[in-house]
Short mmCIF file of all heavy atoms in Angstrom, two decimals:
data_model
loop_
_atom_site.label_atom_id
_atom_site.label_comp_id
_atom_site.label_asym_id
_atom_site.label_seq_id
_atom_site.Cartn_x
_atom_site.Cartn_y
_atom_site.Cartn_z
N LEU A 4 -13.68 -35.09 -22.19
CA LEU A 4 -14.60 -34.65 -21.17
C LEU A 4 -14.32 -35.40 -19.89
O LEU A 4 -14.08 -36.59 -19.89
CB LEU A 4 -16.04 -34.89 -21.60
CG LEU A 4 -16.53 -34.08 -22.78
CD1 LEU A 4 -17.98 -34.41 -23.06
CD2 LEU A 4 -16.36 -32.60 -22.54
N GLY A 5 -14.35 -34.67 -18.81
CA GLY A 5 -14.11 -35.33 -17.55
C GLY A 5 -12.65 -35.29 -17.15
O GLY A 5 -12.29 -35.79 -16.11
N ARG A 6 -11.86 -34.71 -18.01
CA ARG A 6 -10.47 -34.57 -17.66
C ARG A 6 -10.04 -33.14 -17.87
O ARG A 6 -10.51 -32.47 -18.76
CB ARG A 6 -9.61 -35.46 -18.57
CG ARG A 6 -9.23 -36.75 -17.91
CD ARG A 6 -8.71 -37.72 -18.95
NE ARG A 6 -8.83 -39.08 -18.44
CZ ARG A 6 -7.88 -39.67 -17.73
NH1 ARG A 6 -6.79 -39.01 -17.44
NH2 ARG A 6 -8.05 -40.88 -17.28
N SER A 7 -9.10 -32.71 -17.09
CA SER A 7 -8.54 -31.40 -17.32
C SER A 7 -7.61 -31.52 -18.52
O SER A 7 -7.19 -32.62 -18.87
CB SER A 7 -7.75 -30.95 -16.10
OG SER A 7 -6.56 -31.67 -16.01
N PRO A 8 -7.34 -30.38 -19.17
CA PRO A 8 -6.46 -30.43 -20.33
C PRO A 8 -5.11 -31.04 -19.99
O PRO A 8 -4.44 -31.59 -20.84
CB PRO A 8 -6.31 -28.95 -20.72
CG PRO A 8 -7.51 -28.29 -20.14
CD PRO A 8 -7.86 -29.08 -18.91
N LEU A 11 -5.27 -34.51 -15.85
CA LEU A 11 -5.50 -34.93 -14.48
C LEU A 11 -6.81 -35.67 -14.36
O LEU A 11 -7.79 -35.31 -15.00
CB LEU A 11 -5.55 -33.70 -13.56
CG LEU A 11 -4.24 -32.95 -13.38
CD1 LEU A 11 -4.52 -31.61 -12.72
CD2 LEU A 11 -3.29 -33.77 -12.53
N ASP A 12 -6.83 -36.70 -13.58
CA ASP A 12 -8.09 -37.36 -13.29
C ASP A 12 -8.90 -36.47 -12.38
O ASP A 12 -8.40 -35.94 -11.40
CB ASP A 12 -7.85 -38.70 -12.60
CG ASP A 12 -7.56 -39.78 -13.62
OD1 ASP A 12 -8.19 -39.76 -14.69
OD2 ASP A 12 -6.68 -40.61 -13.35
N LEU A 13 -10.13 -36.31 -12.72
CA LEU A 13 -10.96 -35.42 -11.94
C LEU A 13 -12.05 -36.20 -11.25
O LEU A 13 -12.90 -36.79 -11.89
CB LEU A 13 -11.58 -34.35 -12.85
CG LEU A 13 -10.55 -33.49 -13.58
CD1 LEU A 13 -11.23 -32.57 -14.55
CD2 LEU A 13 -9.72 -32.70 -12.60
N THR A 14 -12.01 -36.21 -9.99
CA THR A 14 -13.04 -36.90 -9.23
C THR A 14 -13.61 -35.97 -8.20
O THR A 14 -13.01 -34.97 -7.83
CB THR A 14 -12.47 -38.13 -8.52
OG1 THR A 14 -11.34 -37.72 -7.75
CG2 THR A 14 -12.03 -39.19 -9.51
N ILE A 15 -14.76 -36.31 -7.73
CA ILE A 15 -15.45 -35.43 -6.80
C ILE A 15 -14.97 -35.65 -5.38
O ILE A 15 -14.64 -36.76 -4.99
CB ILE A 15 -16.97 -35.64 -6.88
CG1 ILE A 15 -17.68 -34.53 -6.13
CG2 ILE A 15 -17.37 -37.01 -6.37
CD1 ILE A 15 -19.16 -34.53 -6.40
N GLY A 16 -14.89 -34.56 -4.66
CA GLY A 16 -14.51 -34.66 -3.27
C GLY A 16 -15.75 -34.70 -2.40
O GLY A 16 -16.66 -33.91 -2.58
N VAL A 17 -15.81 -35.59 -1.51
CA VAL A 17 -16.96 -35.71 -0.64
C VAL A 17 -16.60 -35.23 0.76
O VAL A 17 -15.65 -35.72 1.36
CB VAL A 17 -17.44 -37.17 -0.55
CG1 VAL A 17 -18.63 -37.28 0.36
CG2 VAL A 17 -17.77 -37.69 -1.93
N PRO A 18 -17.33 -34.23 1.22
CA PRO A 18 -17.04 -33.72 2.56
C PRO A 18 -17.26 -34.81 3.60
O PRO A 18 -17.99 -35.77 3.36
CB PRO A 18 -18.05 -32.60 2.75
CG PRO A 18 -18.64 -32.35 1.42
CD PRO A 18 -18.47 -33.59 0.62
N PRO A 29 -16.92 -25.97 2.21
CA PRO A 29 -17.30 -27.27 1.67
C PRO A 29 -16.57 -27.53 0.36
O PRO A 29 -16.26 -26.60 -0.37
CB PRO A 29 -18.80 -27.13 1.43
CG PRO A 29 -19.05 -25.68 1.32
CD PRO A 29 -18.02 -25.03 2.19
N VAL A 30 -16.35 -28.76 0.07
CA VAL A 30 -15.69 -29.10 -1.18
C VAL A 30 -16.55 -28.66 -2.34
O VAL A 30 -16.09 -28.10 -3.31
CB VAL A 30 -15.43 -30.60 -1.24
CG1 VAL A 30 -14.89 -30.98 -2.59
CG2 VAL A 30 -14.45 -30.99 -0.16
N TRP A 31 -17.81 -28.90 -2.26
CA TRP A 31 -18.74 -28.43 -3.28
C TRP A 31 -19.77 -27.53 -2.63
O TRP A 31 -20.79 -28.00 -2.20
CB TRP A 31 -19.46 -29.60 -3.97
CG TRP A 31 -18.53 -30.51 -4.67
CD1 TRP A 31 -18.32 -31.81 -4.39
CD2 TRP A 31 -17.66 -30.18 -5.74
NE1 TRP A 31 -17.38 -32.31 -5.23
CE2 TRP A 31 -16.96 -31.33 -6.07
CE3 TRP A 31 -17.41 -29.00 -6.45
CZ2 TRP A 31 -16.03 -31.37 -7.08
CZ3 TRP A 31 -16.48 -29.04 -7.46
CH2 TRP A 31 -15.81 -30.22 -7.77
N LEU A 43 -26.91 -29.70 -6.12
CA LEU A 43 -26.36 -31.04 -6.12
C LEU A 43 -26.27 -31.60 -4.72
O LEU A 43 -25.65 -31.03 -3.85
CB LEU A 43 -24.94 -31.00 -6.73
CG LEU A 43 -24.12 -32.27 -6.56
CD1 LEU A 43 -24.77 -33.39 -7.35
CD2 LEU A 43 -22.71 -32.03 -7.03
N ILE A 45 -24.40 -34.14 -3.15
CA ILE A 45 -23.23 -34.91 -3.56
C ILE A 45 -23.28 -36.36 -3.13
O ILE A 45 -22.51 -37.17 -3.60
CB ILE A 45 -21.94 -34.28 -3.02
CG1 ILE A 45 -22.05 -34.19 -1.50
CG2 ILE A 45 -21.71 -32.94 -3.63
CD1 ILE A 45 -20.76 -33.73 -0.87
N ASP A 55 -19.53 -40.16 -11.07
CA ASP A 55 -18.99 -38.94 -10.52
C ASP A 55 -19.08 -37.81 -11.52
O ASP A 55 -19.34 -38.00 -12.69
CB ASP A 55 -17.55 -39.12 -10.06
CG ASP A 55 -16.66 -39.54 -11.21
OD1 ASP A 55 -17.13 -39.47 -12.37
OD2 ASP A 55 -15.54 -39.94 -10.96
N TYR A 56 -18.89 -36.63 -11.01
CA TYR A 56 -18.83 -35.47 -11.86
C TYR A 56 -17.42 -35.32 -12.37
O TYR A 56 -16.47 -35.70 -11.72
CB TYR A 56 -19.25 -34.22 -11.08
CG TYR A 56 -20.72 -34.17 -10.85
CD1 TYR A 56 -21.26 -34.53 -9.62
CD2 TYR A 56 -21.57 -33.77 -11.86
CE1 TYR A 56 -22.60 -34.46 -9.41
CE2 TYR A 56 -22.94 -33.72 -11.65
CZ TYR A 56 -23.45 -34.05 -10.43
OH TYR A 56 -24.78 -33.98 -10.22
N PRO A 57 -17.31 -34.72 -13.53
CA PRO A 57 -16.02 -34.74 -14.19
C PRO A 57 -15.09 -33.63 -13.75
O PRO A 57 -14.26 -33.22 -14.51
CB PRO A 57 -16.40 -34.55 -15.66
CG PRO A 57 -17.61 -33.70 -15.59
CD PRO A 57 -18.33 -34.11 -14.35
N MET A 58 -15.25 -33.13 -12.61
CA MET A 58 -14.32 -32.08 -12.24
C MET A 58 -13.91 -32.17 -10.79
O MET A 58 -14.42 -32.94 -10.02
CB MET A 58 -14.93 -30.70 -12.45
CG MET A 58 -15.87 -30.29 -11.36
SD MET A 58 -15.88 -28.55 -11.08
CE MET A 58 -14.43 -28.31 -10.11
N GLY A 59 -12.95 -31.33 -10.50
CA GLY A 59 -12.60 -31.12 -9.12
C GLY A 59 -11.95 -32.32 -8.48
O GLY A 59 -12.35 -32.76 -7.42
N SER A 60 -10.92 -32.81 -9.11
CA SER A 60 -10.22 -33.89 -8.46
C SER A 60 -9.72 -33.42 -7.12
O SER A 60 -9.30 -32.29 -6.94
CB SER A 60 -9.04 -34.33 -9.31
OG SER A 60 -8.00 -33.39 -9.20
N VAL A 61 -9.80 -34.27 -6.17
CA VAL A 61 -9.38 -33.88 -4.83
C VAL A 61 -7.88 -34.09 -4.70
O VAL A 61 -7.36 -35.17 -4.92
CB VAL A 61 -10.10 -34.74 -3.78
CG1 VAL A 61 -9.58 -34.42 -2.40
CG2 VAL A 61 -11.58 -34.52 -3.86
N ASP A 62 -7.26 -33.00 -4.42
CA ASP A 62 -5.86 -33.13 -4.11
C ASP A 62 -5.77 -33.79 -2.74
O ASP A 62 -6.36 -33.32 -1.77
CB ASP A 62 -5.23 -31.72 -4.06
CG ASP A 62 -3.73 -31.80 -4.16
OD1 ASP A 62 -3.20 -32.91 -4.06
OD2 ASP A 62 -3.10 -30.74 -4.34
N GLU A 63 -5.06 -34.85 -2.68
CA GLU A 63 -5.11 -35.63 -1.45
C GLU A 63 -4.50 -34.92 -0.25
O GLU A 63 -4.78 -35.26 0.88
CB GLU A 63 -4.42 -36.98 -1.66
CG GLU A 63 -5.26 -37.91 -2.55
CD GLU A 63 -6.69 -38.04 -2.06
OE1 GLU A 63 -6.93 -38.08 -0.85
OE2 GLU A 63 -7.60 -38.07 -2.91
N PRO A 71 -10.27 -32.03 2.33
CA PRO A 71 -9.49 -31.95 1.10
C PRO A 71 -10.00 -30.83 0.20
O PRO A 71 -11.20 -30.56 0.17
CB PRO A 71 -9.70 -33.31 0.46
CG PRO A 71 -10.94 -33.85 1.06
CD PRO A 71 -11.09 -33.23 2.41
N ARG A 72 -9.12 -30.21 -0.50
CA ARG A 72 -9.50 -29.13 -1.39
C ARG A 72 -9.47 -29.63 -2.83
O ARG A 72 -8.50 -30.24 -3.25
CB ARG A 72 -8.49 -27.99 -1.23
CG ARG A 72 -9.06 -26.62 -1.42
CD ARG A 72 -7.94 -25.61 -1.58
NE ARG A 72 -8.50 -24.27 -1.64
CZ ARG A 72 -8.65 -23.51 -0.57
NH1 ARG A 72 -8.28 -23.95 0.60
NH2 ARG A 72 -9.18 -22.31 -0.68
N PRO A 73 -10.53 -29.37 -3.58
CA PRO A 73 -10.56 -29.85 -4.95
C PRO A 73 -9.64 -29.06 -5.85
O PRO A 73 -9.44 -27.86 -5.63
CB PRO A 73 -12.02 -29.62 -5.37
CG PRO A 73 -12.46 -28.47 -4.54
CD PRO A 73 -11.72 -28.57 -3.24
N LYS A 74 -9.09 -29.73 -6.82
CA LYS A 74 -8.31 -29.00 -7.81
C LYS A 74 -9.27 -28.27 -8.73
O LYS A 74 -10.38 -28.70 -8.96
CB LYS A 74 -7.44 -29.97 -8.60
CG LYS A 74 -6.25 -30.42 -7.80
CD LYS A 74 -5.11 -30.77 -8.71
CE LYS A 74 -3.85 -30.98 -7.88
NZ LYS A 74 -2.71 -31.37 -8.68
N LYS A 75 -8.78 -27.19 -9.27
CA LYS A 75 -9.67 -26.39 -10.10
C LYS A 75 -9.79 -26.98 -11.49
O LYS A 75 -8.81 -27.41 -12.08
CB LYS A 75 -9.13 -24.97 -10.19
CG LYS A 75 -10.10 -24.03 -10.84
CD LYS A 75 -9.57 -22.63 -10.82
CE LYS A 75 -9.77 -22.01 -9.46
NZ LYS A 75 -9.50 -20.58 -9.47
N LEU A 76 -10.99 -26.97 -11.96
CA LEU A 76 -11.26 -27.52 -13.29
C LEU A 76 -10.78 -26.58 -14.38
O LEU A 76 -10.94 -25.37 -14.28
CB LEU A 76 -12.77 -27.73 -13.46
CG LEU A 76 -13.26 -27.96 -14.88
CD1 LEU A 76 -12.99 -29.38 -15.29
CD2 LEU A 76 -14.71 -27.62 -15.00
N ARG A 77 -10.21 -27.13 -15.41
CA ARG A 77 -10.04 -26.38 -16.65
C ARG A 77 -10.92 -27.09 -17.66
O ARG A 77 -10.73 -28.27 -17.95
CB ARG A 77 -8.58 -26.39 -17.11
CG ARG A 77 -7.61 -25.80 -16.12
CD ARG A 77 -7.81 -24.33 -15.92
NE ARG A 77 -7.42 -23.54 -17.07
CZ ARG A 77 -7.21 -22.23 -17.02
NH1 ARG A 77 -7.37 -21.57 -15.89
NH2 ARG A 77 -6.85 -21.57 -18.08
N LEU A 78 -11.84 -26.36 -18.20
CA LEU A 78 -12.74 -26.98 -19.17
C LEU A 78 -11.97 -27.41 -20.41
O LEU A 78 -11.01 -26.75 -20.81
CB LEU A 78 -13.83 -25.99 -19.58
CG LEU A 78 -14.79 -25.54 -18.47
CD1 LEU A 78 -15.65 -24.40 -18.97
CD2 LEU A 78 -15.65 -26.70 -18.02
N GLN A 82 -15.62 -28.61 -24.46
CA GLN A 82 -16.61 -28.06 -23.54
C GLN A 82 -16.71 -26.54 -23.73
O GLN A 82 -17.81 -25.99 -23.82
CB GLN A 82 -16.22 -28.38 -22.10
CG GLN A 82 -16.52 -29.81 -21.68
CD GLN A 82 -15.93 -30.14 -20.33
OE1 GLN A 82 -14.82 -29.74 -20.00
NE2 GLN A 82 -16.67 -30.89 -19.53
N GLU A 109 -21.44 -33.04 -19.53
CA GLU A 109 -21.03 -33.81 -18.36
C GLU A 109 -20.45 -32.90 -17.28
O GLU A 109 -19.38 -33.14 -16.73
CB GLU A 109 -20.03 -34.90 -18.75
CG GLU A 109 -20.62 -35.90 -19.72
CD GLU A 109 -19.63 -37.02 -20.05
OE1 GLU A 109 -18.61 -37.13 -19.38
OE2 GLU A 109 -19.93 -37.77 -20.98
N LEU A 110 -21.17 -31.83 -17.06
CA LEU A 110 -20.81 -30.91 -15.99
C LEU A 110 -22.00 -30.78 -15.06
O LEU A 110 -23.10 -31.19 -15.40
CB LEU A 110 -20.47 -29.53 -16.56
CG LEU A 110 -19.22 -29.41 -17.40
CD1 LEU A 110 -19.16 -28.03 -18.05
CD2 LEU A 110 -17.97 -29.65 -16.58
N ARG A 111 -21.76 -30.18 -13.91
CA ARG A 111 -22.87 -29.91 -13.03
C ARG A 111 -23.58 -28.64 -13.51
O ARG A 111 -22.93 -27.74 -14.04
CB ARG A 111 -22.39 -29.71 -11.58
CG ARG A 111 -21.98 -31.00 -10.90
CD ARG A 111 -21.41 -30.76 -9.54
NE ARG A 111 -20.20 -29.95 -9.61
CZ ARG A 111 -20.05 -28.78 -9.00
NH1 ARG A 111 -21.01 -28.29 -8.27
NH2 ARG A 111 -18.94 -28.12 -9.12
N GLN A 114 -21.93 -25.53 -12.61
CA GLN A 114 -20.75 -25.15 -13.37
C GLN A 114 -21.14 -24.43 -14.64
O GLN A 114 -20.48 -23.46 -15.04
CB GLN A 114 -19.92 -26.39 -13.70
CG GLN A 114 -19.22 -26.97 -12.50
CD GLN A 114 -18.49 -28.24 -12.84
OE1 GLN A 114 -19.12 -29.26 -13.11
NE2 GLN A 114 -17.18 -28.21 -12.85
P DA B 8 -13.53 -21.12 -17.28
OP1 DA B 8 -13.44 -22.11 -18.36
OP2 DA B 8 -14.53 -20.04 -17.33
"O5'" DA B 8 -13.72 -21.88 -15.89
"C5'" DA B 8 -12.73 -22.84 -15.48
"C4'" DA B 8 -12.84 -23.05 -13.99
"O4'" DA B 8 -12.30 -21.89 -13.30
"C3'" DA B 8 -14.25 -23.25 -13.47
"O3'" DA B 8 -14.23 -24.28 -12.49
"C2'" DA B 8 -14.62 -21.91 -12.87
"C1'" DA B 8 -13.27 -21.38 -12.40
N9 DA B 8 -13.13 -19.92 -12.42
C8 DA B 8 -13.43 -19.07 -13.44
N7 DA B 8 -13.19 -17.81 -13.18
C5 DA B 8 -12.67 -17.83 -11.90
C6 DA B 8 -12.20 -16.82 -11.03
N6 DA B 8 -12.19 -15.52 -11.36
N1 DA B 8 -11.75 -17.19 -9.82
C2 DA B 8 -11.76 -18.48 -9.48
N3 DA B 8 -12.17 -19.54 -10.20
C4 DA B 8 -12.62 -19.13 -11.41
P DA B 9 -15.56 -24.80 -11.88
OP1 DA B 9 -15.33 -26.22 -11.55
OP2 DA B 9 -16.70 -24.40 -12.71
"O5'" DA B 9 -15.64 -23.97 -10.52
"C5'" DA B 9 -14.57 -24.11 -9.59
"C4'" DA B 9 -14.75 -23.10 -8.48
"O4'" DA B 9 -14.55 -21.77 -9.00
"C3'" DA B 9 -16.13 -23.09 -7.81
"O3'" DA B 9 -15.94 -23.28 -6.42
"C2'" DA B 9 -16.68 -21.69 -8.14
"C1'" DA B 9 -15.40 -20.89 -8.32
N9 DA B 9 -15.53 -19.68 -9.13
C8 DA B 9 -16.04 -19.57 -10.39
N7 DA B 9 -16.03 -18.34 -10.86
C5 DA B 9 -15.46 -17.61 -9.84
C6 DA B 9 -15.17 -16.23 -9.71
N6 DA B 9 -15.42 -15.32 -10.66
N1 DA B 9 -14.59 -15.82 -8.55
C2 DA B 9 -14.35 -16.73 -7.60
N3 DA B 9 -14.58 -18.05 -7.61
C4 DA B 9 -15.14 -18.42 -8.76
P DG B 10 -17.15 -23.35 -5.46
OP1 DG B 10 -16.89 -24.52 -4.60
OP2 DG B 10 -18.42 -23.22 -6.19
"O5'" DG B 10 -16.96 -22.03 -4.57
"C5'" DG B 10 -15.69 -21.84 -3.94
"C4'" DG B 10 -15.72 -20.58 -3.09
"O4'" DG B 10 -15.68 -19.43 -3.96
"C3'" DG B 10 -16.95 -20.42 -2.21
"O3'" DG B 10 -16.53 -19.88 -0.97
"C2'" DG B 10 -17.82 -19.43 -2.99
"C1'" DG B 10 -16.77 -18.57 -3.69
N9 DG B 10 -17.18 -18.00 -4.95
C8 DG B 10 -17.65 -18.68 -6.06
N7 DG B 10 -17.92 -17.89 -7.06
C5 DG B 10 -17.62 -16.62 -6.60
C6 DG B 10 -17.71 -15.36 -7.24
O6 DG B 10 -18.09 -15.11 -8.39
N1 DG B 10 -17.30 -14.32 -6.41
C2 DG B 10 -16.85 -14.47 -5.13
N2 DG B 10 -16.50 -13.37 -4.48
N3 DG B 10 -16.75 -15.65 -4.51
C4 DG B 10 -17.15 -16.67 -5.30
P DG C 11 -5.82 -22.74 -4.21
OP1 DG C 11 -6.36 -23.64 -3.18
OP2 DG C 11 -4.60 -21.96 -3.96
"O5'" DG C 11 -5.62 -23.57 -5.54
"C5'" DG C 11 -6.75 -24.16 -6.16
"C4'" DG C 11 -6.54 -24.21 -7.66
"O4'" DG C 11 -6.59 -22.87 -8.20
"C3'" DG C 11 -5.20 -24.80 -8.09
"O3'" DG C 11 -5.45 -25.70 -9.15
"C2'" DG C 11 -4.39 -23.59 -8.54
"C1'" DG C 11 -5.50 -22.67 -9.06
N9 DG C 11 -5.21 -21.24 -9.05
C8 DG C 11 -4.71 -20.52 -8.00
N7 DG C 11 -4.57 -19.23 -8.27
C5 DG C 11 -5.01 -19.13 -9.58
C6 DG C 11 -5.10 -17.99 -10.43
O6 DG C 11 -4.80 -16.81 -10.18
N1 DG C 11 -5.59 -18.33 -11.68
C2 DG C 11 -5.96 -19.59 -12.07
N2 DG C 11 -6.41 -19.71 -13.32
N3 DG C 11 -5.88 -20.65 -11.30
C4 DG C 11 -5.41 -20.35 -10.07
P DA C 12 -4.32 -26.57 -9.78
OP1 DA C 12 -4.89 -27.92 -9.87
OP2 DA C 12 -3.04 -26.33 -9.08
"O5'" DA C 12 -4.20 -25.97 -11.24
"C5'" DA C 12 -5.36 -25.91 -12.05
"C4'" DA C 12 -5.01 -25.27 -13.38
"O4'" DA C 12 -4.81 -23.86 -13.18
"C3'" DA C 12 -3.75 -25.80 -14.04
"O3'" DA C 12 -4.03 -25.99 -15.43
"C2'" DA C 12 -2.71 -24.71 -13.80
"C1'" DA C 12 -3.57 -23.46 -13.75
N9 DA C 12 -3.07 -22.38 -12.90
C8 DA C 12 -2.63 -22.48 -11.62
N7 DA C 12 -2.26 -21.33 -11.09
C5 DA C 12 -2.47 -20.41 -12.09
C6 DA C 12 -2.28 -19.02 -12.17
N6 DA C 12 -1.81 -18.28 -11.16
N1 DA C 12 -2.60 -18.41 -13.33
C2 DA C 12 -3.08 -19.15 -14.33
N3 DA C 12 -3.31 -20.46 -14.38
C4 DA C 12 -2.98 -21.04 -13.22
#
Side-chain angles (χ1 to χ4, degrees):
Chain A
L4 293 181
R6 261 165 201 271
S7 73
L11 292 167
D12 276 322
L13 301 174
T14 53
I15 191 169
V17 180
V30 174
W31 298 118
L43 168 66
I45 57 173
D55 60 11
Y56 285 101
M58 80 148 280
S60 75
V61 175
D62 198 349
E63 288 308 322
R72 212 194 186 92
K74 284 208 170 178
K75 189 176 282 191
L76 165 79
R77 300 293 290 196
L78 295 171
Q82 283 171 320
E109 298 183 12
L110 293 172
R111 286 175 298 121
Q114 288 176 291

